[in-house]
Amino acid sequence: MAVSRYRLAPSPAQEAGLTEPCGHARFVWNLPVEQHAHWAPGRRPAPGLPSSAAG
């Protein structure tokens, strides 16, 4: 599988518009990474979207 990496060089106006969406994307990415890091054998799996969205 090939992986591509890109570096952005946004203008100040573009950077202001990207700050919030990129922060949201980072939160959504980091949440399962954190849940996986805290998982241990014998524990139930972390709640998925259906169970966490139901409450």
Side-chain angles (χ1 to χ4, degrees):
M1 175 195 268
V3 176
S4 298
R5 291 183 179 212
Y6 299 94
R7 179 169 289 185
L8 299 177
S11 69
Q14 291 170 323
E15 187 174 344
L18 288 171
T19 301
E20 187 176 356
C22 289
H24 292 168
R26 186 175 188 135
F27 175 81
V28 170
W29 176 266
N30 286 339
L31 182 60
V33 171
E34 180 183 352
Q35 289 175 343
H36 180 74
H38 291 305
W39 184 85
R43 291 181 70 182
R44 295 182 0 186
L49 178 61
S51 60
S52 62

